Amino acid sequence: MSCLVPFIVISHELSADGNQTDIESHIESHIESHIESIDTFYGTIPFKAMANDQSRLLASLLAHPAVNRLKHINQYGPIQMVDSQGSNNEPYSRYDHSLGVFYLLNRFGAPFPEQISGLLHDLPHSTFSHVSDYLFSDSSAGNPDYHDSQFTNFVDRHSITPILNRHHLSPETIHPKKNPSFTRLERPLPDLAADRLDYIVQGAARRKKLTSQQVDAILADLFFDPLSQHWYSKSLESARLTADASIELNRHIFVTAWGRVLYLWTADALKQLVRAGELHADDLFFTMGDDQVWQKIHQSTLPGVRTLAGQMLTAWHKVHEVTHPGANTITFKNVRCRIVDPRVATNHSGNNVTSWLRVSDIDPAFRDRYLTELKRCQLFYAEVEP
């Protein structure tokens, strides 16, 4: 059975004739009875393999409207909604990504609070995902950390805190960025981490850049060393597949001239709609999905929004990356480069690594590709056709 369950509204007001904890516990039991497993891109996680308290918490979270809202938020934002000859419209939502991160953390032995952190880490994403990087920043690179800064606020606003509290957790104890021990979930670039690993591996597989056999091999060769607190691959080939996939995605999704300009135009349209009262901030962060807001943009009669809506639809073929600035160019500096240079274990006993090298240390050709892409992210220009 999949993790689709009947919609249940969980109220946190005290009942007149019952204890709220008992009532909510009963609701959790009812929800759990409808969920036997979690189906992810990589495979199924059966609840019977978990402690009862853990499966009940997961059941409650998977039934929660805030988590299900992520099904309607595209992983790549408006890029997936613009016709680019069918090369950017693969189905991949923030919900798919969140389940993928949870699977990886579960498979590779993360403590349960870290698994929950991975499941919920993208709750603060607005509609169109990283478009909100530009809603609250004038930088050409945006503010890619905005969502993380809102994590506690979102967990509270969505009434998830009481659910966590019943299981002896809190927004602080599962915060993705404020728990240094969550090293399976988060590591600085260019290292692997569960969040990064999923959006590279699942993302590349959905774009047919990795086969299912390659995905299986990458995961089979991967392990986490609890002593060094790092991810390693046993295989140079698997590590290189992952690294090359990250460059492919970075060049064609994460850091593209047309995609970044599309983000800017979309953010501008949203600001105008909010100022005119046609949208509210809560619509973007709490109530609406991408399709609903996309319709708002394209149905608006505001002259500025109508112009932007037309530009958004043509961004993929009217915006080009160029090497020098010109009359119709937009400059992008220091955009976050989401490429990895994984660690390859050269000597290890079990999961304990005694020596290692990065892919770039072993493969000069990859090192050149890696450094070229890093340099591109530091400065590039987007030329907009008239």
Side-chain angles (χ1 to χ4, degrees):
M1 183 182 293
S2 72
C3 57
L4 295 176
V5 299
F7 179 75
I8 298 174
V9 177
I10 300 177
S11 170
H12 297 290
E13 297 178 1
L14 184 63
S15 169
D17 59 352
N19 179 277
Q20 183 65 17
T21 300
D22 291 342
I23 292 172
E24 291 175 339
S25 179
H26 174 73
I27 292 173
E28 283 189 349
S29 297
H30 177 74
I31 294 172
E32 186 185 11
S33 69
H34 289 80
I35 305 177
E36 297 174 356
S37 62
I38 301 177
D39 296 327
T40 78
F41 177 79
Y42 306 101
T44 299
I45 303 174
F47 273 14
K48 64 183 180 182
M50 300 179 182
N52 184 57
D53 187 59
Q54 294 177 353
S55 63
R56 292 180 71 175
L57 172 57
L58 283 167
S60 292
L61 294 176
L62 290 170
H64 199 285
V67 174
N68 282 275
R69 171 183 171 271
L70 296 178
K71 295 176 181 177
H72 308 289
I73 309 296
N74 287 318
Q75 180 72 6
Y76 308 133
I79 287 174
Q80 286 163 271
M81 307 191 73
V82 174
D83 180 13
S84 51
Q85 297 179 323
S87 60
N88 295 299
N89 61 353
E90 67 269 23
Y92 185 22
S93 68
R94 288 282 157 182
Y95 182 82
D96 298 323
H97 170 58
S98 297
L99 291 188
V101 174
F102 176 81
Y103 173 92
L104 294 171
L105 292 168
N106 179 273
R107 173 168 172 168
F108 290 97
F112 189 66
E114 189 173 3
Q115 295 181 40
I116 296 300
S117 181
L119 178 65
L120 300 182
H121 79 285
D122 268 355
L123 274 189
H125 269 270
S126 69
T127 51
F128 305 135
S129 288
H130 282 286
V131 163
S132 60
D133 297 359
Y134 292 96
L135 283 174
F136 305 101
S137 173
D138 294 326
S139 166
S140 64
N143 176 13
D145 296 319
Y146 174 77
H147 303 97
D148 297 325
S149 70
Q150 300 299 308
F151 181 80
T152 300
N153 176 47
F154 270 70
V155 171
D156 284 340
R157 281 284 305 272
H158 279 299
S159 299
I160 291 176
T161 299
I163 299 173
L164 295 173
N165 290 164
R166 288 200 301 277
H167 296 269
H168 313 292
L169 296 172
S170 69
E172 292 73 25
T173 59
I174 65 161
H175 198 295
K177 299 294 186 180
K178 294 184 178 179
N179 285 283
S181 64
F182 288 179
T183 48
R184 288 172 177 83
L185 174 61
E186 297 284 350
R187 295 298 305 182
L189 284 163
D191 282 318
L192 291 177
D195 178 18
R196 197 169 296 130
L197 182 65
D198 177 77
Y199 67 62
I200 293 170
V201 174
Q202 183 174 175
R206 285 180 178 272
R207 291 175 70 80
K208 311 301 182 186
K209 301 301 180 181
L210 289 174
T211 66
S212 59
Q213 292 80 10
Q214 289 172 324
V215 170
D216 291 343
I218 287 170
L219 298 189
D221 289 330
L222 198 65
F223 67 97
F224 184 83
D225 178 3
L227 294 180
S228 67
Q229 300 285 293
H230 281 288
W231 293 85
Y232 297 90
S233 180
K234 302 172 188 175
S235 160
L236 172 60
E237 181 181 359
S238 289
R240 186 164 43 209
L241 276 173
T242 307
D244 281 338
S246 75
I247 293 177
E248 165 73 19
L249 289 168
N250 204 70
R251 285 197 62 83
H252 298 286
I253 286 289
F254 305 143
V255 186
T256 66
W258 79 267
R260 289 287 154 169
V261 172
L262 176 62
Y263 279 13
L264 289 173
W265 287 342
T266 306
D268 192 1
L270 295 178
K271 290 175 185 177
Q272 292 189 40
L273 288 172
V274 170
R275 284 196 296 267
E278 294 187 16
L279 268 180
H280 300 282
D282 278 6
D283 295 332
L284 303 178
F285 290 96
F286 294 98
T287 60
M288 289 188 177
D290 286 0
D291 288 343
Q292 292 170 293
V293 178
W294 186 258
Q295 288 181 6
K296 286 276 189 180
I297 292 173
H298 290 273
Q299 292 173 358
S300 175
T301 58
L302 296 173
V305 175
R306 287 176 64 88
T307 298
L308 288 165
Q311 291 176 316
M312 289 161 63
L313 291 173
T314 62
W316 65 274
H317 65 88
K318 285 200 171 185
V319 180
H320 313 282
E321 183 173 327
V322 294
T323 55
H324 297 91
N328 297 311
T329 59
I330 300 171
T331 302
F332 290 90
K333 293 182 178 179
N334 300 316
V335 176
R336 179 171 290 177
C337 209
R338 298 179 183 273
I339 58 177
V340 296
D341 187 6
R343 299 172 180 231
V344 180
T346 53
N347 194 6
H348 65 99
S349 176
N351 285 350
N352 296 327
V353 176
T354 53
S355 64
W356 58 275
L357 292 169
R358 292 197 185 275
V359 175
S360 62
D361 296 324
I362 305 170
D363 184 341
F366 170 77
R367 180 172 63 247
D368 290 344
R369 296 194 299 274
Y370 175 78
L371 293 176
T372 297
E373 188 64 7
L374 277 180
K375 184 177 180 180
R376 189 181 73 86
C377 292
Q378 293 171 4
L379 177 65
F380 65 93
Y381 305 96
E383 182 178 64
V384 183
E385 290 184 16

